[in-house]
Amino acid sequence: MTRDPEQTRLRIMEAGAELFVEHGFSSVTMSQLAKSAGVTKSLIHHHFGSKERLWEAVKERAFERYFSTQMAMLEEAGEPDAALLGASVEAYFRFLQANPEVVRLFAWTHLEGDASCGELDAQLVGAGAEWVRQAQQRGLLRDDVNPTHVIATFVMTCTQWFEAKCHHQHWPGMGSDDAFLEDFLRIFLEGLLPRK
């Protein structure tokens, strides 16, 4: 096999993603990773240093697609308005809907008590909260709520919808993904309107 460091790194990342999505971080061994990637354990250490750093790289790679899209939306938006908040909720919801493996990876992160949310996550939440703060200052959103809580509310609601779907999809009267998103946007956005 031709030695190609980038291809080897990518193979390790893909093997890690597959195993972590299926079994979580704690249950996966370096031997399993090496076998799945078709490399030696020493090559994994060479490229990532440790299983923990591979886990962080896998999480970041999974989140990066959404991060880039959302940051571009914030940068192109200009002045804050309520429409961007709705578009942001829909973008995150659609990202999770299209990437069930990311939902499962996030679920393992939560189940295992992984407090490392990564640089991308913190950067995006900070940018989103700042956007909400500016919209509050302009009188477009109610100013009696914490801007970071606004971001957390839609992130947690969208994430939980997909993480717990196997359970709640059987509840009487439960609608489709699209119906839920429509209702959530209505409740969320109208609840953020300035108080009279």
Side-chain angles (χ1 to χ4, degrees), residues 149-161:
H149 291 171
V150 172
I151 303 302
T153 298
F154 90 69
V155 167
M156 288 189 247
T157 301
C158 293
T159 303
Q160 182 64 17
W161 171 261

Side-chain angles (χ1 to χ4, degrees), residues 23-36:
H23 305 289
F25 171 75
S26 299
S27 297
V28 175
T29 66
M30 289 294 280
S31 295
Q32 288 173 311
L33 288 164
K35 182 178 179 182
S36 181

Side-chain angles (χ1 to χ4, degrees), residues 132-133 136 141-150 191-192:
V132 170
R133 191 174 295 107
Q136 289 172 324
L141 298 176
R142 59 189 296 177
D143 62 4
D144 61 339
V145 291
N146 180 327
T148 302
H149 291 171
V150 172
L192 284 170

Side-chain angles (χ1 to χ4, degrees), residues 12-13 16-28 30 33 44 48-63 101-102 104-117:
I12 295 168
M13 285 270 284
E18 187 175 319
L19 288 168
F20 292 145
V21 164
E22 186 63 30
H23 305 289
F25 171 75
S26 299
S27 297
V28 175
M30 289 294 280
L33 288 164
I44 297 174
F48 294 96
S50 66
K51 185 177 87 164
E52 288 78 7
R53 286 180 53 197
L54 173 58
W55 167 245
E56 293 302 323
V58 165
K59 288 190 299 180
E60 185 169 308
R61 182 176 181 227
F63 188 65
E101 72 285 354
V102 175
R104 192 168 169 94
L105 193 66
F106 288 173
W108 280 116
T109 300
H110 304 152
L111 285 170
E112 297 195 19
D114 182 354
S116 170
C117 52

Side-chain angles (χ1 to χ4, degrees), residues 2 4 7 9 26 34 40 52 54 64-65 68 72 79 88 93 95 103 108 118 125 133 148 155 157 161 179-180 187:
T2 305
D4 181 339
Q7 279 300 106
R9 183 179 171 82
S26 299
T40 62
E52 288 78 7
L54 173 58
E64 201 279 329
R65 287 171 285 168
S68 299
E79 292 292 323
S88 295
F93 190 89
F95 168 73
V103 174
W108 280 116
V125 170
R133 191 174 295 107
T148 302
V155 167
T157 301
W161 171 261
F180 175 78
I187 294 164

